[in-house]
Structures are given as structure tokens and as C-alpha cells.
Amino acid sequence: MSKKTVLTGITTTGTPHIGNYLGAVKPAIDASENPALDSYFFLADFHALIKCQEPERVARSTREIAATWLALGLDTDKATFYRQTDIPEITELSWILSCQTSKGLMNRAHAYKAAVDANREAGKDDLDDGVTMGLFSYPVLMAADILMFQADIIPVGKDQVQHIEMARDIAGRFNHNFEPLFTLPEAKVDEETQLIPGLDGRKMSKSYNNTIPLFSTSDELRKLINQIVTDTRAPGEPKDPNNTLMHLYRCFASEAESERMRQRFLEGIGWGDAKTELFEYIDAHLTGPRVRYNELMSDLGEVEAILNKGAERAREHSVPFLDKVRHAVGIRSLTDTTTARQQDVVKEKEKSEEEIARAEEGRRRAILMQIRPLLDQVDQAADKAAAAQALVAEKTAEVEALKKKARQKAQNELDLLIEELSALL
Ligand code: TRP
């Protein structure tokens, strides 16, 4: 079976936080270690322009996110790691897909609808106020990211599921109208990692301003953990183990360690002590990657080189694949006069030859399978015949011996009678 392709993108607008790490980066890196999967991870920097018009922030976020993935141990020999903007074929595909995407489908996209709803609530006359074409066509660019690499599995947060469904829709329409070039992708949502709590106990998210940056200094990390909201129970009072500290602890610690911590909450560990433990645990876990992160951030040439290599690898696929897409829709060299139909005929012929060969091989095997038990039966019958013959020979010999004996006996009796008779005479 051929390998499945996993693909995901990260919009480069923020500084990576612990929720990103646990919810996206770590599971993706784990997937890239699975030899049954091909993985593509990329920095969605064109997507960043939709949300963010601060050039410095986009540039900084791109550096930080690239360095983060590498510092956390992404092996770029195993995964293809690149910048969306280094693959011009994606933007080109995005246009071709736009021409297959109904506007009505985009009208239903959550992000666009949210903007319209906000305008309606604010009483604006223009419901599209502040909506750019970038925001409106966001799902098409995302479909191009995915369809370009014929990805099967797209690990995303819940808010992105609709976009993957739209990518399927668009792919289906293209496949139907032209050639079936695109793989239909499927979203994969990990429920558990959707629930990483932030400082205030709600889901950790940039938009709630409750995040813990992944690579702050130890001091900053300690300060932030001390800000985590708890109840007012005093040290010694039993505490509900279903709390933010425990939840975060569990994300890093082993089963056994988590269980021990849970017990300590029940036994009344003070919030301050629990925060210290949590800080120490996370700090120890992140020390190695933090050192590497700082190294990479002070040698961005290395990161740039890695991304360039990743783009080269990605383009080994995207360049020839886009050629096929262009051909399928009729964008061709003037001297290329093969039609899709002609190509289809060639393909059909190849396919049917292959099918015939496969069918013949199948038939040969089926005949062999039917013959084999018959051959076995023949062998068995021959064995039985030989055994029967031996038995016949044995019995014949016995009969002969008996006959001989009987004849002998009769002869003896006859001799006796003759003797007696001659005596009488
Ligand atoms: N829109 C995604 C987000 O904000 C990022 C993204 C862009 C993406 N292209 C993608 C995710 C393709 C998965 C696949 O999280």
C-alpha cells in the first residue's frame, strides 16, 4: 500500500505558545516519525497577510515558528518543511481552483460569516465592510496548499474543519470537470489536545490573551505559571484535581506522575506548591529545546537554508504536478496538441493491457488452485491402489498357500484310501 500524506500549515502571525506545542507541533512531529506517513509541514505566510498588516510582526513570527519546529526536534530529512511563499505553484493553483469554486460556497465560510455578522450587529450598511478578497478567498488558498501535495490527512483544530471540507468540495468539482488529479483530504481533529487550558482556564489561545509562550525565559515562565487562576482553598484543604494546573501537568508528565500529582491535590497540596511543581516540570522539559531555539534564533541563516532545502524538495512534487493541472484545464504549449481525450485513450490502453495481464495471472492462479486438490486426490488414489495391490498379492499368496495345503491334505487322504483299498483287494 502506498504511503498516506499528512499535511498541515501554521499561519505566521503569532509567537508559539504551549497550546500550539501540545496541540499541533508535537503531534505533527510524532506523525513525521511514523514511517507509514509522508509529511508536509509549512509556514502559511501568505495566510498571515489576511489577518495581519504589520510587516515586522509577520516576519518575526515566521522566524519564531520556523525556529520552534526545528528546536522541538523536527527531522527535516523525514518531513518536508517549507514556506508557502517559496512554492509559487501553490498561488497559481489557487487561481485555477478559484475558477472551480462557487461564490456561494465561500459565502458560507465561518470566518467570512463572522465578519458579516459583526458588521450587521454594529449596524453597518455595508455588511462586507472591512472584508478583503484575501479573507473571502482564504479557503481557496488553503485548498491549494492541501491539494497541491495530494494530502490525505490534515491535522487541524476544530475551527479549520470546514475549510478541509471546502477543499474536498473544490477537489471533487475539479476531478469531475477535468481529470481526477486531486486526492480528497480528510481533517483529523484530536479532541484531547483541543482542550489545553490557558492562564484563565479557558482554551489557550491568542485571542483570549491567556497564553504561555513556549520559549520565554525560566523567570517569565515561573511568573506566568504563578498567574494561573485557581480557587481560594488554603494549603491542607483537599482540592478538585480537575483543575488547570493538573491539566497542564498531565500534558507533560507520565501517567504515573500524573496519578501521584492527582493524589496530592486530593491530599491538599497548596496552590503555590503545585505551581512550583508545574513550573519545574515544564521548565525541565523545555530547557533543551529552549537552548536550541536560542541558538537557531541567533543563526537564522541556518534556518533559512533548511527552509530553502525544504522548498526545493516540495517543488520536486509541485512543479510537475502543476503541469498536469495546467494541461488538464487547457493551459498548454501551443505545440502540445494532445487532448485530454487522446491522453485518456493512451491511458485506457495502458490500463487495459495491465488489466489483461493481471486477469491472466489471476486465472492461472485460480486454475492452479483448482488443480492442486485434484492432483492431491490422484496421488492419494495411486497410493491406495498400490496398497490394494499389495493387499491383493498378500491375500493371493495366502489363498495359494491354503489351496496347496488343502490339495496336500486331499492327496494324503486319497493316498491313504488307495492304500486301504489296495489292502482290501
Ligand atoms: N488556516 C490554518 C490556520 O489558521 C493554517 C493553514 C493554512 C492550514 N493552510 C493550511 C492548515 C493547510 C492545514 C492545511 O490554522
Side-chain angles (χ1 to χ4, degrees), residues 101-394:
T101 307
S102 66
K103 177 172 173 289
L105 183 67
M106 295 299 99
N107 286 343
R108 292 193 286 278
H110 297 322
Y112 170 66
K113 263 175 48 184
V116 170
D117 288 347
N119 284 336
R120 188 179 296 114
E121 252 160 60
K124 296 209 172 127
D125 288 336
D126 180 5
L127 292 182
D128 282 336
D129 189 51
V131 174
T132 63
M133 282 309 294
L135 175 66
F136 189 69
S137 356
Y138 175 119
V140 184
L141 179 57
M142 191 159 153
D145 290 330
I146 295 169
L147 301 182
M148 175 55 87
F149 295 100
Q150 291 164 299
D152 302 279
I153 306 162
I154 319 296
V156 282
K158 271 193 189 131
D159 59 324
Q160 297 294 318
V161 171
Q162 188 197 32
H163 295 148
I164 314 302
E165 275 155 16
M166 290 177 158
R168 277 178 80 89
D169 253 43
I170 298 170
R173 192 192 280 228
F174 183 102
N175 288 350
H176 176 77
N177 288 347
F178 302 105
E179 286 178 51
L181 293 179
F182 294 122
T183 303
L184 303 189
E186 238 170 85
K188 185 168 156 272
V189 179
D190 182 347
E191 294 294 338
E192 206 174 313
T193 56
Q194 295 298 298
L195 302 168
I196 314 293
L199 298 176
D200 57 359
R202 289 187 293 172
K203 177 184 159 102
M204 192 182 291
S205 158
K206 245 182 326 197
S207 36
Y208 293 148
N209 202 17
N210 64 355
T211 62
I212 304 173
L214 194 51
F215 294 129
S216 49
T217 62
S218 288
D219 279 349
E220 284 163 343
L221 182 63
R222 186 197 299 273
K223 259 187 227 146
L224 283 169
I225 288 177
N226 281 332
Q227 286 172 24
I228 292 176
V229 177
T230 60
D231 64 25
T232 54
R233 269 166 236 263
E237 274 187 76
K239 297 175 178 63
D240 183 359
N242 189 13
N243 65 62
T244 308
L245 296 178
M246 183 64 224
H247 195 142
L248 283 171
Y249 188 84
R250 194 187 293 285
C251 292
F252 288 90
S254 70
E255 274 293 319
E257 287 165 323
S258 302
E259 185 44 37
R260 234 173 291 138
M261 192 59 160
R262 218 179 72 86
Q263 282 306 322
R264 293 178 65 195
F265 278 114
L266 293 173
E267 288 159 12
I269 182 176
W271 290 119
D273 288 344
K275 284 178 176 179
T276 303
E277 298 247 341
L278 177 65
F279 160 73
E280 280 168 2
Y281 209 100
I282 298 184
D283 193 53
H285 187 91
L286 292 180
T287 296
R290 187 191 290 133
V291 170
R292 181 77 188 123
Y293 178 79
N294 290 330
E295 271 171 18
L296 289 163
M297 286 300 278
S298 58
D299 181 12
L300 287 160
E302 187 188 340
V303 182
E304 180 68 27
I306 290 172
L307 285 178
N308 289 339
K309 226 181 74 200
E312 231 173 80
R313 220 165 91 182
R315 294 193 74 202
E316 280 169 23
H317 177 87
S318 66
V319 171
F321 186 61
L322 184 70
D323 268 351
K324 283 196 204 167
V325 175
R326 290 174 68 133
H327 190 280
V329 298
I331 308 292
R332 300 172 197 165
S333 152
L334 299 188
T335 57
D336 179 354
T337 50
T338 56
T339 62
R341 188 166 296 282
Q342 277 173 317
Q343 284 194 331
D344 280 353
V345 171
V346 173
K347 250 186 265 156
E348 279 305 313
K349 191 162 163 278
E350 278 168 8
K351 210 170 91 193
S352 59
E353 274 165 11
E354 218 178 278
E355 258 165 25
I356 289 168
R358 218 177 307 128
E360 272 176 1
E361 177 60 24
R363 217 170 299 132
R364 206 171 304 136
R365 254 191 237 151
I367 290 171
L368 258 175
M369 295 248 285
Q370 281 178 330
I371 283 181
R372 194 154 298 138
L374 291 178
L375 286 178
D376 285 349
Q377 278 176 20
V378 169
D379 277 352
Q380 279 172 9
D383 284 351
K384 271 191 202 151
Q389 232 165 14
L391 195 64
V392 167
E394 199 184 311

